[in-house]
Amino acid sequence: MTRITLVQGDITQVPVDAVVNAANSSLLGGGGVDGAIHRRGGPEILAACRALRASHYGKGLPTGQAVATTAGNLPATWVIHTVGPVWSREEDRSPLLASCYRESLRVAAELGARTVAFPAISTGIYGWPMDDGARIAVETARTTAPPSIEEIRFVLFDATAYAAFEAAVG
């Protein structure tokens, strides 16, 4: 059974096989987690993302999908980029958010990763309410993690996010 752990801290400093990036669809870096991963990981990540844009993802990575690159200078082997949905009061986009976690875990398993670190996808600038984002993340991890994934670490930036995930884990 996959172990779920919570860590409050900086996702760019967590030694795991695969770190998940809450990317924007361009795959070319941005703010928040995406910017931090690109800055700390170095130019190899951006070069790999540019190669993806030049081949399979000319229009960008669709929301809810996931793709892997090198991790550059991060203490990981791979970065799995996934594009979370922007939260909407009018439209239930929960299946897209769950897809980010599910597809990232699928890609991690295909790569042979045993440990995966996730941020709280879509809960920053994309406006997803933290409690609901935590619930979807934990529920999806519990129900879809492939058996080969030994540990999923949710690396949470602050005490508020940590508390929300702690409540979701139960």
Side-chain angles (χ1 to χ4, degrees):
M1 185 167 174
T2 304
R3 186 171 65 253
I4 294 177
T5 57
L6 307 178
V7 177
Q8 184 178 333
D10 180 350
I11 199 165
T12 69
Q13 297 181 9
V14 177
V16 288
D17 296 329
V19 62
V20 176
N21 180 20
N24 65 52
S25 64
S26 77
L27 294 174
L28 302 178
V33 170
D34 194 20
I37 284 175
H38 275 270
R39 280 190 302 279
R40 175 90 186 235
E44 296 89 350
I45 296 174
L46 182 57
C49 286
R50 284 190 172 135
L52 286 170
R53 285 296 305 266
S55 60
H56 298 89
Y57 300 101
K59 294 182 181 179
L61 184 64
T63 301
Q65 297 300 304
V67 65
T69 65
T70 179
N73 299 323
L74 295 173
T77 305
W78 302 283
V79 173
I80 299 172
H81 306 269
T82 190
V83 180
V86 174
W87 185 76
S88 170
R89 208 178 281 283
E90 291 79 36
E91 178 186 353
D92 180 12
R93 297 178 179 164
S94 299
L96 285 171
L97 183 55
S99 180
C100 291
Y101 291 99
R102 186 175 53 255
E103 289 298 305
S104 295
L105 289 167
R106 180 188 59 76
V107 169
E110 288 175 359
L111 293 168
R114 294 207 206 107
T115 56
V116 182
F118 279 99
I121 299 167
S122 287
T123 62
I125 195 152
Y126 284 8
W128 206 282
M130 185 60 73
D131 291 344
D132 192 50
R135 178 190 61 77
I136 292 167
V138 170
E139 182 178 291
T140 305
R142 282 187 172 146
T143 59
T144 67
S148 60
I149 306 289
E150 295 172 5
E151 180 185 12
I152 295 170
R153 285 186 209 163
F154 289 105
V155 183
L156 307 155
F157 188 71
D158 61 21
T160 302
Y162 187 94
F165 274 76
E166 191 173 43
V169 167

